[in-house]
Amino acid sequence: MEGGEKEMAAAVDISNLVKVFGTKKAVNGLYLKVNEGEIFGLIGPNGAGKTTTLRIIATLLKPTSGNVKVFGYDVVSDPGNVRKLISYLPEESGAYNNLSGLEYLRFMASFYARNREEIESFVEEGAKISGLKERLNDKIKTYSKGMKRRLLVARTLMTRPKLAILDEPTSGLDVFYAHYVRDEIKEYARNYGVTVLLSSHNMLEVQYLCSRVALINNGVIVEEGSPEELFRKYDSKNLEEVFIKVSRYG
Ligand code: ATP
């Protein structure tokens, strides 16, 4: 690195994050760093604090205390700049039911595109990712749960954000489409420089996709590393074994 050059900011840099709901500490002093270009997986039992953390990074929820930066921009003092760089796939979402899939993609693309051509190229890309073909002309309210999910995944990736935050990206998808979405996520990370932070309950998925993984429990990170490092450390053959060992005894 050149002498005067600034050190590149991490894609996500969280220190001592706390989020309290009433009397419940959903996040309780969490530290996390995601580097640019990584596919990073957050895993953990139900209620561990994954969605809360992801929503804070996505500027949808304010932290109670602590610091959260996305490519150097603070999510509390500079949410506008954060939003320009990210897209967020919620765990569940009431989509725009009266729009057709195509209208929805076009509507979402219009927030990100700089001109008409770019809108069309985002929509084309979204249509391809969704794999919904002629069903894209139908209203979203006629879609199955999995089809809605496919549309949302497409919307999240089509604009090639610098950071894609994906809360359980393949939940509710059939085996074929889940496989397809994983490959799309890999391709976007590799070819378009999209950094990905995802949560999942599917350990095979995380093993397949992620270069690093953090295990969250009771609102803190209790273990972190590449899947291979964790297999070695816990004398395990797969992430499921690691997960069970760490969650039970860690
Ligand atoms: P899951 O794997 O079940 O999706 P998670 O790891 O995503 O779980 P969170 O949704 O972040 O967990 O929830 C963390 C804790 O915070 C839980 O105890 C949850 O009940 C609580 N919580 C989350 N959102 C709220 C809210 N809006 N009001 C009150 N408590 C909340």
Side-chain angles (χ1 to χ4, degrees):
M1 192 184 290
E2 298 285 327
E5 208 174 296
K6 260 194 191 168
E7 203 187 320
M8 253 208 318
V12 178
D13 196 351
I14 302 182
S15 59
N16 205 12
L17 176 64
V18 173
K19 178 66 188 178
V20 180
F21 294 108
T23 54
K24 170 84 200 164
K25 274 197 171 170
V27 181
N28 195 9
L30 183 140
Y31 291 79
L32 182 71
K33 206 171 202 172
V34 178
N35 299 315
E36 182 162 14
E38 277 191 303
I39 304 182
F40 193 102
L42 264 189
I43 58 177
N46 290 134
K50 301 180 294 297
T51 296
T52 304
T53 304
L54 295 182
R55 284 174 58 81
I56 290 171
I57 300 166
T59 74
L60 298 170
L61 206 58
K62 280 222 166 79
T64 302
S65 61
N67 277 302
V68 179
K69 291 205 160 115
V70 173
F71 291 106
Y73 295 111
D74 189 280
V75 296
V76 177
S77 61
D78 210 351
N81 273 322
V82 173
R83 284 181 202 133
K84 283 184 200 151
L85 302 176
I86 63 166
S87 67
Y88 173 67
L89 173 74
E91 192 178 0
E92 279 175 43
S93 141
Y96 295 72
N97 277 322
N98 274 315
L99 296 183
S100 72
L102 211 52
E103 285 166 342
Y104 173 73
L105 292 180
R106 190 163 288 125
F107 177 66
M108 297 312 288
S110 67
F111 292 108
Y112 292 87
R114 284 161 300 186
N115 52 48
R116 261 171 195 285
E117 262 166 39
E118 204 168 50
I119 293 184
E120 289 315 312
S121 89
F122 285 161
V123 171
E124 198 178 308
E125 187 119 350
K128 184 192 123 222
I129 301 168
S130 79
L132 288 169
K133 304 203 167 97
E134 66 280 2
R135 290 302 305 269
L136 278 172
N137 295 310
D138 297 341
K139 286 205 157 103
I140 294 172
K141 66 180 168 203
T142 68
Y143 290 3
S144 70
K145 196 171 65 168
M147 288 166 69
K148 282 184 189 161
R149 193 96 193 125
R150 286 160 65 162
L151 187 67
L152 289 175
V153 170
R155 187 270 286 161
T156 311
L157 293 177
M158 72 179 179
T159 53
R160 300 181 189 172
K162 271 186 74 92
L163 173 69
I165 303 164
L166 310 174
D167 201 354
E168 301 190 25
T170 60
S171 110
L173 297 181
D174 67 45
V175 172
F176 299 108
Y177 198 72
H179 185 77
Y180 173 71
V181 163
R182 284 179 205 126
D183 283 344
E184 289 288 311
I185 293 171
K186 266 207 158 157
E187 188 186 321
Y188 273 74
R190 197 187 301 127
N191 297 343
Y192 305 126
V194 175
T195 303
V196 178
L197 173 60
L198 60 86
S199 77
S200 180
H201 287 292
N202 183 332
M203 295 301 121
L204 278 176
E205 168 168 302
V206 173
Q207 223 168 291
Y208 173 71
L209 277 179
C210 299
S211 49
R212 282 198 304 138
V213 180
L215 203 149
I216 174 167
N217 204 359
N218 296 320
V220 289
I221 304 287
V222 291
E223 193 51 274
E224 196 178 336
S226 71
E228 295 71 27
E229 280 165 1
L230 297 176
F231 300 161
R232 246 178 281 129
K233 180 163 174 190
Y234 289 92
D235 191 22
S236 299
K237 290 185 293 298
N238 54 53
L239 263 187
E240 194 161 280
E241 265 185 60
V242 173
F243 181 92
I244 289 169
K245 284 182 181 166
V246 181
S247 304
R248 213 175 265 163
Y249 314 113

